Amino acid sequence: MTRRPAHAPTTGHDPATDRTRNTVNEEPDPLAPCPHCAGAYTYEMGALLVCPECGHEWAPSSVAPADEDGDGRVVKDAVGNVLADGDTVTVTRTLKVKGSPSGIKAGTKVRGIRLVDGADGHDIDCRIDGFGAMQLKSSVVKKA
């Protein structure tokens, strides 16, 4: 067997020049962020997209459409119904409220909600009889 010098050109298939390899000018198409948690680290698994942060799986064509305001934000209740300003919702579980001995009981109806960008995921601004104005998370309400 003869040895070829290190400076001699190679012949045949070279994996370094394979067309599937990304180069500086060729970046892969970015995948859509997770519609559930907005995570950016989504990946493909068969025909589905998967979010490793929350475990949500979805078909790329099933992403929810943007709402009428045009800001691209869709707020859903605990069972997946899309919420809008002015809707009536029902609290799905008993909530503790600071300064109140009883809290908000499950089944309490809240009328005329307003969707906001609140702190810590509180995206509903409302007025509850007996408690006053407060913010709720959409994950603890159900559209009535």
Side-chain angles (χ1 to χ4, degrees):
M1 176 174 187
T2 60
R3 302 186 109 198
R4 74 178 166 85
H7 64 277
T10 60
T11 59
H13 179 70
D14 184 10
T17 59
D18 194 359
R19 67 182 203 135
T20 60
R21 190 183 120 220
N22 286 335
T23 62
V24 175
N25 297 333
E26 260 184 66
E27 288 296 320
D29 292 333
L31 297 174
C34 176
H36 192 282
C37 72
Y41 301 109
T42 58
Y43 61 91
E44 291 182 22
M45 186 170 69
L48 298 176
L49 293 176
V50 180
C51 177
E53 295 175 13
C54 68
H56 183 65
E57 297 178 352
W58 71 100
S61 61
S62 70
V63 177
D67 58 352
E68 296 83 30
D69 296 340
D71 61 357
R73 191 175 67 114
V74 177
V75 178
K76 295 184 179 184
D77 65 2
V79 294
N81 298 323
V82 177
L83 297 174
D85 288 342
D87 282 346
T88 300
V89 296
T90 304
V91 178
T92 58
R93 59 182 175 202
T94 302
L95 304 172
K96 294 180 182 178
V97 178
K98 287 183 182 178
S100 172
S102 62
I104 301 171
K105 294 185 179 176
T108 303
K109 281 199 173 188
V110 181
R111 293 181 177 89
I113 65 169
R114 192 170 48 128
L115 302 178
V116 295
D117 287 327
D120 297 327
H122 294 83
D123 45 12
I124 297 174
D125 195 19
C126 61
R127 182 182 242 19
I128 300 177
D129 295 335
F131 290 96
M134 63 178 39
Q135 290 187 342
L136 298 173
K137 292 183 178 184
S138 60
S139 61
V140 297
V141 299
K142 182 175 79 170
K143 193 171 184 177

